[in-house]
Amino acid sequence: MRTLLLATLAIAALAPLACDGDMSAGQPTTASSAIYLSLGDSVAAGNGASDPRTTSFAARVAADEGLTLVNLAVAGATTTEVIEKQLPEITEAAAGRQVSLITISAGGNDLAALIPNAACQEDPLPATCPLDAALDGVSQRLDTILADLRRSYPDTDIVLLAYPNFFSGTGHVFEAPAARVLPRLGDTIRDIAARHDNVAVATTSFEGRGAELTHVLDERFDPHPNDAGHQLIADAIGKARDRLRARRGRV
């Protein structure tokens, strides 16, 4: 089995797929002037949701928290693109309003860059496959993203998303490779979150439930979460924010 090729293809599925609507612009209105800022890739942009403006995880978090969603996430975005394209947009998008919550779903597409590397198609992986270097790069860029956000928003809650295995329980050829690679990415995300104050990681398990929570086995293949999967991620983000509140002694 060409282990990493399949695993990174699984992660590359977080890149753009044909879908209805503008995934990056869903901004449901709430009564609050405070905003929730969503950054990252297609999962954060709402791919797979029946209506990204109302049933994506970002839309549901905004509704649950009573915040106005500003979603700058773009399908296919890497951590580099978050730095170069999304961070510079925040000031104008926030328009001087209080930023109460920021979530980031990024890193999966960075590993997809390994797909063309022949060394990364071998099993077991040889030392010439730069997976460790790729993860180090993700770590460095996430650190840059968090440091930049902290300079602008020192007190804002920030939640990073650790990717679940969208293929778990489906029997899809990507299931086992993703199960080997995504935990390494999750560890990287947790390690970098631990270096920063007031940052939590939302971890949710799709273990054995990929058929129920994604479109992997749909007639038109799409590994993104369906509405139920987006709800599970929204719940995990809510719990992560509750942990941040508890650390500060707030209810």
Short mmCIF file of all heavy atoms in Angstrom, two decimals, residues 117-145:
data_model
loop_
_atom_site.label_atom_id
_atom_site.label_comp_id
_atom_site.label_asym_id
_atom_site.label_seq_id
_atom_site.Cartn_x
_atom_site.Cartn_y
_atom_site.Cartn_z
N ASN A 117 5.48 13.26 -4.16
CA ASN A 117 6.80 12.75 -3.78
C ASN A 117 6.79 11.22 -3.80
O ASN A 117 6.10 10.58 -3.01
CB ASN A 117 7.15 13.26 -2.38
CG ASN A 117 8.59 12.97 -2.00
OD1 ASN A 117 9.13 11.92 -2.32
ND2 ASN A 117 9.20 13.92 -1.30
N ALA A 118 7.59 10.63 -4.70
CA ALA A 118 7.59 9.17 -4.85
C ALA A 118 7.99 8.47 -3.56
O ALA A 118 7.49 7.38 -3.26
CB ALA A 118 8.53 8.78 -5.98
N ALA A 119 8.89 9.07 -2.78
CA ALA A 119 9.33 8.45 -1.53
C ALA A 119 8.18 8.31 -0.55
O ALA A 119 8.16 7.39 0.27
CB ALA A 119 10.46 9.27 -0.91
N CYS A 120 7.21 9.20 -0.65
CA CYS A 120 6.08 9.18 0.27
C CYS A 120 5.00 8.21 -0.15
O CYS A 120 3.94 8.13 0.48
CB CYS A 120 5.51 10.59 0.42
SG CYS A 120 6.66 11.76 1.14
N GLN A 121 5.25 7.46 -1.24
CA GLN A 121 4.29 6.46 -1.69
C GLN A 121 4.70 5.06 -1.25
O GLN A 121 4.03 4.08 -1.57
CB GLN A 121 4.16 6.53 -3.21
CG GLN A 121 3.67 7.88 -3.70
CD GLN A 121 3.61 7.98 -5.21
OE1 GLN A 121 3.54 6.96 -5.90
NE2 GLN A 121 3.66 9.20 -5.74
N GLU A 122 5.79 4.96 -0.51
CA GLU A 122 6.29 3.66 -0.06
C GLU A 122 5.78 3.34 1.33
O GLU A 122 5.44 4.22 2.12
CB GLU A 122 7.83 3.67 -0.06
CG GLU A 122 8.44 3.94 -1.43
CD GLU A 122 9.95 3.96 -1.39
OE1 GLU A 122 10.54 3.33 -0.48
OE2 GLU A 122 10.56 4.62 -2.25
N ASP A 123 5.71 2.03 1.62
CA ASP A 123 5.29 1.56 2.93
C ASP A 123 6.21 0.41 3.35
O ASP A 123 6.25 -0.61 2.66
CB ASP A 123 3.85 1.08 2.87
CG ASP A 123 3.32 0.65 4.24
OD1 ASP A 123 3.95 1.00 5.25
OD2 ASP A 123 2.29 -0.04 4.28
N PRO A 124 7.00 0.59 4.43
CA PRO A 124 7.02 1.74 5.33
C PRO A 124 7.69 2.95 4.71
O PRO A 124 8.42 2.83 3.72
CB PRO A 124 7.83 1.24 6.53
CG PRO A 124 8.75 0.22 5.93
CD PRO A 124 7.95 -0.46 4.85
N LEU A 125 7.45 4.10 5.30
CA LEU A 125 7.99 5.33 4.77
C LEU A 125 9.51 5.37 4.95
O LEU A 125 10.01 5.12 6.05
CB LEU A 125 7.38 6.54 5.46
CG LEU A 125 5.90 6.81 5.19
CD1 LEU A 125 5.44 7.97 6.05
CD2 LEU A 125 5.67 7.10 3.73
N PRO A 126 10.24 5.70 3.89
CA PRO A 126 11.69 5.87 4.04
C PRO A 126 12.02 7.24 4.62
O PRO A 126 11.17 8.14 4.66
CB PRO A 126 12.18 5.77 2.59
CG PRO A 126 11.05 6.31 1.78
CD PRO A 126 9.80 5.86 2.50
N ALA A 127 13.25 7.38 5.05
CA ALA A 127 13.69 8.65 5.63
C ALA A 127 13.63 9.78 4.62
O ALA A 127 13.60 10.96 5.00
CB ALA A 127 15.10 8.51 6.19
N THR A 128 13.62 9.43 3.35
CA THR A 128 13.59 10.47 2.30
C THR A 128 12.22 11.10 2.13
O THR A 128 12.08 12.10 1.42
CB THR A 128 14.05 9.88 0.96
OG1 THR A 128 13.32 8.66 0.71
CG2 THR A 128 15.54 9.59 0.97
N CYS A 129 11.18 10.53 2.77
CA CYS A 129 9.86 11.17 2.73
C CYS A 129 9.82 12.26 3.80
O CYS A 129 10.01 11.97 4.99
CB CYS A 129 8.76 10.16 2.99
SG CYS A 129 7.12 10.92 3.10
N PRO A 130 9.56 13.49 3.41
CA PRO A 130 9.67 14.62 4.36
C PRO A 130 8.42 14.86 5.20
O PRO A 130 8.03 16.01 5.41
CB PRO A 130 9.95 15.80 3.43
CG PRO A 130 9.20 15.47 2.18
CD PRO A 130 9.31 13.97 2.03
N LEU A 131 7.79 13.80 5.72
CA LEU A 131 6.60 14.00 6.56
C LEU A 131 6.94 14.80 7.81
O LEU A 131 6.22 15.73 8.17
CB LEU A 131 5.99 12.65 6.95
CG LEU A 131 4.82 12.72 7.94
CD1 LEU A 131 3.66 13.55 7.39
CD2 LEU A 131 4.35 11.31 8.31
N ASP A 132 8.04 14.44 8.47
CA ASP A 132 8.42 15.16 9.69
C ASP A 132 8.66 16.64 9.39
O ASP A 132 8.26 17.51 10.17
CB ASP A 132 9.67 14.54 10.32
CG ASP A 132 9.38 13.19 10.95
OD1 ASP A 132 8.21 12.92 11.26
OD2 ASP A 132 10.33 12.40 11.11
N ALA A 133 9.33 16.91 8.27
CA ALA A 133 9.58 18.30 7.90
C ALA A 133 8.28 19.03 7.62
O ALA A 133 8.12 20.21 7.96
CB ALA A 133 10.50 18.37 6.68
N ALA A 134 7.33 18.34 6.97
CA ALA A 134 6.03 18.96 6.69
C ALA A 134 5.29 19.30 7.98
O ALA A 134 4.71 20.37 8.12
CB ALA A 134 5.19 18.04 5.82
N LEU A 135 5.33 18.38 8.94
CA LEU A 135 4.68 18.64 10.22
C LEU A 135 5.37 19.77 10.98
O LEU A 135 4.71 20.59 11.62
CB LEU A 135 4.66 17.37 11.06
CG LEU A 135 3.73 16.26 10.55
CD1 LEU A 135 3.97 14.97 11.33
CD2 LEU A 135 2.27 16.67 10.64
N ASP A 136 6.70 19.82 10.88
CA ASP A 136 7.43 20.93 11.51
C ASP A 136 7.00 22.26 10.89
O ASP A 136 6.85 23.27 11.60
CB ASP A 136 8.94 20.75 11.33
CG ASP A 136 9.50 19.66 12.23
OD1 ASP A 136 8.82 19.26 13.19
OD2 ASP A 136 10.64 19.21 11.97
N GLY A 137 6.81 22.27 9.57
CA GLY A 137 6.37 23.48 8.90
C GLY A 137 4.99 23.91 9.36
O GLY A 137 4.73 25.10 9.59
N VAL A 138 4.08 22.94 9.50
CA VAL A 138 2.75 23.24 10.01
C VAL A 138 2.84 23.85 11.41
O VAL A 138 2.19 24.85 11.72
CB VAL A 138 1.87 21.97 10.03
CG1 VAL A 138 0.57 22.22 10.80
CG2 VAL A 138 1.55 21.52 8.61
N SER A 139 3.69 23.25 12.24
CA SER A 139 3.86 23.76 13.60
C SER A 139 4.36 25.20 13.61
O SER A 139 3.83 26.05 14.33
CB SER A 139 4.85 22.86 14.36
OG SER A 139 5.08 23.36 15.66
N GLN A 140 5.36 25.48 12.79
CA GLN A 140 5.92 26.83 12.75
C GLN A 140 4.89 27.84 12.27
O GLN A 140 4.77 28.95 12.81
CB GLN A 140 7.14 26.85 11.86
CG GLN A 140 8.33 26.06 12.42
CD GLN A 140 9.43 25.84 11.39
OE1 GLN A 140 9.45 26.48 10.33
NE2 GLN A 140 10.34 24.93 11.69
N ARG A 141 4.13 27.46 11.25
CA ARG A 141 3.16 28.41 10.70
C ARG A 141 1.95 28.60 11.63
O ARG A 141 1.43 29.71 11.75
CB ARG A 141 2.75 27.98 9.30
CG ARG A 141 3.89 28.17 8.28
CD ARG A 141 3.45 27.86 6.87
NE ARG A 141 3.18 26.45 6.66
CZ ARG A 141 4.10 25.53 6.34
NH1 ARG A 141 5.37 25.87 6.24
NH2 ARG A 141 3.76 24.27 6.14
N LEU A 142 1.52 27.53 12.30
CA LEU A 142 0.46 27.71 13.28
C LEU A 142 0.93 28.61 14.42
O LEU A 142 0.16 29.42 14.93
CB LEU A 142 0.01 26.35 13.83
CG LEU A 142 -0.89 25.51 12.94
CD1 LEU A 142 -1.16 24.16 13.58
CD2 LEU A 142 -2.21 26.22 12.62
N ASP A 143 2.19 28.47 14.80
CA ASP A 143 2.75 29.34 15.83
C ASP A 143 2.72 30.79 15.37
O ASP A 143 2.37 31.70 16.14
CB ASP A 143 4.18 28.91 16.14
CG ASP A 143 4.76 29.62 17.35
OD1 ASP A 143 4.08 29.65 18.40
OD2 ASP A 143 5.87 30.15 17.25
N THR A 144 3.05 31.02 14.11
CA THR A 144 3.00 32.38 13.54
C THR A 144 1.57 32.92 13.55
O THR A 144 1.33 34.08 13.91
CB THR A 144 3.54 32.37 12.10
OG1 THR A 144 4.92 32.00 12.12
CG2 THR A 144 3.38 33.73 11.44
N ILE A 145 0.61 32.08 13.17
CA ILE A 145 -0.79 32.49 13.15
C ILE A 145 -1.27 32.88 14.55
O ILE A 145 -1.88 33.94 14.75
CB ILE A 145 -1.66 31.36 12.57
CG1 ILE A 145 -1.37 31.17 11.08
CG2 ILE A 145 -3.15 31.65 12.78
CD1 ILE A 145 -1.94 29.88 10.50
#
